[in-house]
């Protein structure tokens, strides 16, 4: 596999190590690349607006450089570039506080996405409008978007390889795992720490309250509870947020991971169809990590059980 990296269009073919993770939601996409040092590449990396990574000529990532360094050792000089996906652009922009009477996609896009110069695609019918949606002063545009998309459509935002913001419930691809797959290791794990099965919403001044529950998680012995402190008259409008908190808890509770030979096995959001001992049959991918170096190429795919 040939890995190349481009700094605002100026490409370097000298990448000899890459660790690239693409995700949906949080944590965001991230990469670390090592390449042979040259003055031109170092200057381009320090001053670029966008980083693009290619595998055998195909674009696999678009992001920004957070840190550029030169390492000097017995093998000469090495240029190291570390960064994140385009969610980082939105994470760098803090919002002033605002409450929307009704917050639809057009309102959120104008407020949070357009000002960052991000192109977005949404799944038709996937997102509803939210009443009394509040953006807290000081939160990043990315955090506000994730909060809105989760409550409005049970969606964790992500980015395509070419840097388009995607708001959709599911990816279009499918990863098939069976006895013929080049699997190094596979794991299913239950993560009980931090899991909640109910969310209490309570208005601070009136004392009105309601509880939103997950019967599925309760049946599996999860007893944790989270609390939302709501302002007067907003109890009902916070219910979608509570449901999203329970969905995030479900996704974090029952997890799978598989390490495969080769890179870029699938896309975040894709379905994983498993017929491997120890793995559930139907899963959803939320993280794809490709590691390229002197030992070859491997891919670590992680996600949640559906």
């Amino acid at each position: 596999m040939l890995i190349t990296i481009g700094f605002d269009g100026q490409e370097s073919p000298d990448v000899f190590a890459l660790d690239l993770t693409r995700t949906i939601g949080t944590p965001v996409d991230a990469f670390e690349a090592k390449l042979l040092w040259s003055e031109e590449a170092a200057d381009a990396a320090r001053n670029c607006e966008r980083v693009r990574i290619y595998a055998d000529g195909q674009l696999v990532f678009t992001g920004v450089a957070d840190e550029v360094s030169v390492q000097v050792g017995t093998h000469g000089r090495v240029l190291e570039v570390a960064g994140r996906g385009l969610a980082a652009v939105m994470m760098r922009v803090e919002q002033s506080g605002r409450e929307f009477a009704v917050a639809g996609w057009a309102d959120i896009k104008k407020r949070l996405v357009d000002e960052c110069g991000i192109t977005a695609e949404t799944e038709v019918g996937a997102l509803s409008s939210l009443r009394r949606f509040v953006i807290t002063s000081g939160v990043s545009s990315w955090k506000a978007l994730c909060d809105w998309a989760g409550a409005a459509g049970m969606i964790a935002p992500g980015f395509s390889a070419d840097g388009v913001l995607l708001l959709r419930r599911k990816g279009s691809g499918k990863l098939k795992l069976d006895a013929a797959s080049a699997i190094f290791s596979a794991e299913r794990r239950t993560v009980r720490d931090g899991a909640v099965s109910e969310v209490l919403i309570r208005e601070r001044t009136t004392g009105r309250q309601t509880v939103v529950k997950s019967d599925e998680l309760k049946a599996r012995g999860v007893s944790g509870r989270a609390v939302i402190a709501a302002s007067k008259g907003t109890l009902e409008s916070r219910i979608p947020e509570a449901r999203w908190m329970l969905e995030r808890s479900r996704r974090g509770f029952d997890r799978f991971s598989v390490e495969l030979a080769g890179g870029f096995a699938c896309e975040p959001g894709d379905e994983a169809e498993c017929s491997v001992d120890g793995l559930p049959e139907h899963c959803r991918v939320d993280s794809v990590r490709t590691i390229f170096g002197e030992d070859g190429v491997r891919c670590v795919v992680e996600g949640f059980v559906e």
Side-chain angles (χ1 to χ4, degrees), residues 25-225:
T26 303
V28 301
D29 300 349
F31 77 95
E32 293 183 1
K34 295 182 180 181
L35 54 153
L36 299 179
W37 179 90
S38 72
E39 186 174 346
E40 294 79 8
D43 287 342
R46 292 188 185 103
N47 298 299
C48 72
E49 182 179 352
R50 292 286 186 267
V51 174
R52 292 176 174 86
I53 297 174
Y54 302 84
D56 292 333
Q58 180 179 352
L59 180 64
V60 294
F61 175 79
T62 302
V64 296
D66 288 328
E67 184 174 328
V68 179
S69 61
V70 178
Q71 304 292 328
V72 181
T74 56
H75 299 293
R77 287 179 286 187
V78 173
L79 180 64
E80 296 190 5
V81 183
R84 291 169 291 170
L86 294 189
V89 176
M90 300 181 69
M91 294 173 74
R92 294 168 180 169
V93 178
E94 290 189 354
Q95 289 289 315
S96 56
R98 178 171 178 183
E99 180 176 329
F100 293 85
V102 179
W105 167 237
D107 306 299
I108 295 300
K109 181 175 181 292
K110 180 179 179 181
R111 175 86 179 194
L112 304 177
V113 180
D114 290 347
E115 71 171 357
C116 295
I118 301 294
T119 301
E121 293 181 3
T122 62
E123 180 182 334
V124 176
L127 297 163
S128 59
S129 297
L130 295 180
R131 294 177 52 251
R132 304 289 295 273
F133 179 71
V134 176
I135 298 177
T136 306
S137 179
V139 304
S140 71
S141 295
W142 180 251
K143 173 66 165 59
L145 174 68
C146 288
D147 289 346
W148 180 85
M154 296 288 182
I155 289 173
F159 283 86
S160 65
D162 56 356
V164 175
L165 174 64
L166 302 175
L167 289 97
R168 59 189 185 186
R169 290 195 177 98
K170 299 179 180 179
S172 57
K174 179 183 289 187
L175 173 66
K176 293 187 177 182
L177 299 172
D178 53 34
S181 303
I183 297 175
F184 291 139
S185 63
E187 178 186 49
R188 180 178 182 176
R189 62 188 182 277
T190 300
V191 184
R192 305 187 70 86
D193 183 39
V196 298
S197 60
E198 63 180 43
V199 179
L200 170 67
I201 309 172
R202 187 176 189 276
E203 290 187 355
R204 288 186 293 263
T205 55
T206 67
R208 291 177 64 227
Q209 65 181 43
T210 189
V211 178
V212 182
K213 300 179 180 180
S214 168
D215 293 335
E216 176 187 350
L217 290 173
K218 275 188 173 296
R220 301 193 63 180
V222 177
S223 59
R225 183 180 71 182

